[in-house]
Amino acid sequence: MAEFDAAELQRQANQIFRELTSVAAGSPPPTVVRAPERSPLELPQPAAADPHDTGLYFLREVSLSGHPVAVSAGAGAPVPGLAAPQVGSPFVFDPESVRRDFPALSELVHGHRLVWLDNSATTHKPEQVIQRIAEFYRHENSNVHRGAHELGERATEAYEQARAQAARFLGASSDDEIVFVRGTTEAINLVAQSWGRANVGAGDEILVSCLEHHANIVPWQQLCQETGAQLRVAPVDDSGQILLADYDRLLSDRTRIVAFAHVSNTLGTITPVREMVELAHRHGARVLIDGAQAVSHLPVDVRSLDADWYALSGHKVFGPTGIGVLYGKLDLLNSMAPWQSGGSMIRDVTFERTLYQDAPARFEAGTPNIADAVGLGEAFAYVERLGREAIAAYERQLLDYAMRELLQVPGLELLGTASEKASVLSFVIDPFTPAQLGQALDREGIAVRAGHHCAQPILRRFGREGTVRASLAMYNTREDVDALVSALRRIISGGVGLLAGGAEPTCAC
């Protein structure tokens, strides 16, 4: 007779219980549903797209009015950096259903319904993520990988399942290519300090773009100062798109690493990722992509991009703060020295020498942020249930509407008009400062960001020290845009008193 394993039986029972209670408590039906055969939202099909148009042309917009958006995957060529579109019948994306998953969106601010247009700084969290973190602390709380007890097994299983979910979300070849970090900033610093110190020397070059967040400039500046390498910068045109020919000319056999944003946090520009990676690899350079602003808006496939590293922050993709992901090609990660030392990353220690674990453990020294990693895994699963192609199509329509409406506001200047653009609207209205406008909008319950967005070089390229940034997400609606536009018109018409106050723009990421 087989030996009775009570602990294993209890573990399985607990897992079944959690799954059943999750279904019972929980998640509302998916908000991506099949469209009826004759949707009242359908309009005549638009004319064939210009083959040179670099917009999200693989997603055909079927509706330009109302909330739900019917879209279908077309047969056009894929957009660089996006996963292959799902082929099939049209489906409907309903932002009002999505909004109900986010409790913070029901808040009142100064007596007004909250209009959250600060998504590039951080996104709100759905109830599913909040409950998953609470469930971890109630039923699974333990350190991981070393506990000889049931809760240790549960915590380890939950943590590694989150890693597997991240690998699927990014299209990684292996779960071992996913390193949990605090966020994009830590991921970039990890690569700069670990790979950079070992592979960049005097006379070498590091190439970034003019679009970058400070977190993708300063670590490379510091590395150049330490090693004698030179930092070079790819310029952008007046729309905010990288000048690809100039970028290509800046590459050489001295280029060791290229680091650039998938999506600009300040202008919303979607960079030509695949072409930039391919050109860099022709010169033998490694490529790091800052994906912090991309993953909540666009499908991403790191293998299709051929990225060497891809970095993201959980709080910008409806997950918790203090957790993020560094994807890296496995052989590359295993060739890199550990950045920090301590528990978990050790294979064996004597007083004469230390042997390290392979990736990803070699980069996860000490107790990791277990609960938030589990919450991030749930955030990835939530986005996948909605459908990233559907999210991208809906946001493209909403962005087009918002740009048209904002450009009707007297005196408003919009920075960043690239044809490939995600949901960021950066603008100024002279003579008001961004801080004055941001504070006035807050009094009407509208949250935007005012400042230089930790991206001073790109703003100075356009002759500005700060802007107001309204950034959209999948739970925003045309009513949110209308509220912003109406408030701006009221502020302009009656806002002479604003000119006496308002702090100067501050750092706001």
Side-chain angles (χ1 to χ4, degrees):
M1 181 175 180
E3 183 178 351
F4 178 72
D5 188 341
E8 175 60 18
L9 183 62
Q10 183 64 49
R11 189 193 68 78
Q12 294 179 10
N14 288 334
Q15 178 66 22
I16 293 170
F17 174 77
R18 289 195 298 273
E19 291 174 355
L20 289 173
T21 53
S22 174
V23 171
S27 305
T31 54
V32 178
V33 297
R34 294 291 177 186
E37 289 185 7
R38 296 182 61 83
S39 169
L41 297 170
E42 291 184 5
L43 296 177
Q45 292 295 317
D50 182 344
H52 299 293
D53 178 24
T54 53
L56 298 178
Y57 48 80
F58 72 94
L59 292 165
R60 187 173 67 254
E61 295 177 12
V62 182
S63 170
L64 294 177
S65 62
H67 292 299
V69 180
V71 298
S72 62
V79 176
L82 304 193
Q86 298 170 353
V87 178
S89 302
F91 45 84
V92 168
F93 183 85
D94 181 7
E96 292 294 347
S97 295
V98 173
R99 288 180 66 86
R100 289 193 288 271
D101 287 341
F102 291 80
L105 297 180
S106 299
E107 287 292 302
L108 293 178
V109 175
H110 303 304
H112 299 274
R113 176 184 71 88
L114 173 64
V115 176
W116 186 258
L117 298 176
D118 197 17
N119 293 289
S120 288
T122 197
T123 54
H124 286 296
K125 323 307 171 193
E127 187 66 30
Q128 292 87 335
V129 170
I130 296 168
Q131 290 300 322
R132 183 64 188 93
I133 296 171
E135 179 189 0
F136 175 85
Y137 282 122
R138 290 191 178 106
H139 303 294
E140 301 159 310
N141 182 50
S142 172
N143 214 323
V144 292
H145 299 142
R146 297 181 294 277
H149 49 72
E150 169 63 19
L151 262 63
E153 289 185 12
R154 294 184 198 174
T156 299
E157 180 180 4
Y159 184 68
E160 294 304 330
Q161 283 180 349
R163 194 189 307 278
Q165 182 67 49
R168 289 192 296 272
F169 190 79
L170 293 175
S173 299
S174 165
D175 297 355
D176 291 339
E177 294 180 320
I178 300 298
V179 178
F180 284 124
V181 290
R182 287 185 299 165
T184 306
T185 297
E186 184 170 79
I188 295 170
N189 277 274
L190 189 162
V191 174
Q193 296 302 312
S194 176
W195 188 88
R197 283 179 170 175
N199 293 277
V200 176
D204 290 338
E205 295 177 351
I206 299 171
L207 179 58
V208 299
S209 86
C210 190
L211 292 169
E212 303 312 311
H213 187 285
H214 296 165
N216 204 26
I217 298 173
V218 179
W220 308 116
Q221 279 184 335
Q222 293 175 330
L223 184 61
C224 287
Q225 291 166 2
E226 293 173 13
T227 63
Q230 181 181 2
L231 187 69
R232 310 200 75 184
V233 182
V236 301
D237 62 21
D238 289 341
S239 75
Q241 185 56 270
I242 290 175
L243 291 162
L244 205 56
D246 289 351
Y247 165 82
D248 189 20
R249 281 192 290 271
L250 287 167
L251 290 164
S252 74
D253 293 341
R254 295 187 301 277
T255 309
R256 292 291 171 263
I257 188 166
V258 176
F260 61 89
H262 193 158
V263 171
S264 163
N265 78 310
T266 302
L267 304 183
T269 303
I270 302 174
T271 56
V273 183
R274 188 174 289 121
E275 292 94 329
M276 293 176 71
V277 172
E278 182 181 351
L279 289 169
H281 283 170
R282 287 181 190 174
H283 292 273
R286 295 291 188 178
V287 181
L288 181 147
I289 300 172
D290 172 357
Q293 298 294 335
V295 288
S296 64
H297 305 295
L298 310 172
V300 174
D301 185 328
V302 291
R303 280 182 288 176
S304 175
L305 293 176
D306 198 22
D308 295 302
W309 300 279
Y310 196 97
L312 65 91
S313 298
H315 72 101
K316 295 182 189 289
V317 63
F318 316 107
T321 55
I323 189 70
V325 168
L326 173 66
Y327 157 83
K329 292 177 179 177
L330 188 56
D331 58 344
L332 187 55
L333 290 176
N334 283 327
S335 74
M336 293 163 55
W339 183 39
Q340 298 174 325
S341 301
S344 297
M345 49 82 70
I346 301 299
R347 179 176 295 169
D348 187 73
V349 174
T350 70
F351 285 110
E352 290 72 36
R353 58 94 181 99
T354 297
L355 300 178
Y356 304 116
Q357 299 278 12
D358 289 337
R362 72 195 292 120
F363 300 109
E364 295 181 5
T367 298
N369 188 354
I370 306 165
D372 289 335
V374 172
L376 178 57
E378 181 60 36
F380 288 149
Y382 178 84
V383 171
E384 287 188 324
R385 286 194 297 271
L386 294 179
R388 286 182 284 175
E389 290 82 7
I391 292 169
Y394 170 71
E395 287 192 15
R396 178 64 186 219
Q397 173 187 305
L398 186 63
L399 176 65
D400 289 346
Y401 175 78
M403 290 178 69
R404 288 196 301 270
E405 293 300 305
L406 281 173
L407 289 173
Q408 301 303 311
V409 174
L412 185 143
E413 176 189 348
L414 187 66
L415 280 68
T417 56
S419 56
E420 281 198 43
K421 180 177 167 70
S423 299
V424 176
L425 299 145
S426 201
F427 61 87
V428 292
I429 305 176
D430 292 331
F432 305 105
T433 70
Q436 289 167 341
L437 292 171
Q439 291 163 7
L441 289 169
D442 176 64
R443 290 195 289 271
E444 301 206 23
I446 301 170
V448 296
R449 189 66 44 159
H452 57 60
H453 319 303
C454 296
Q456 289 172 302
I458 186 58
L459 286 181
R460 288 169 179 165
R461 157 66 175 81
F462 289 92
R464 294 289 178 175
E465 289 295 321
T467 66
V468 176
R469 184 185 67 190
S471 47
L472 307 169
M474 61 186 179
Y475 44 56
N476 289 121
T477 64
R478 287 174 61 156
E479 282 72 20
D480 293 338
V481 173
D482 293 342
L484 171 65
V485 171
S486 296
L488 288 173
R489 289 182 178 277
R490 287 194 298 274
I491 291 165
I492 293 168
S493 63
V496 176
L498 288 177
L499 297 177
E504 288 302 311
T506 57
C507 176
C509 297

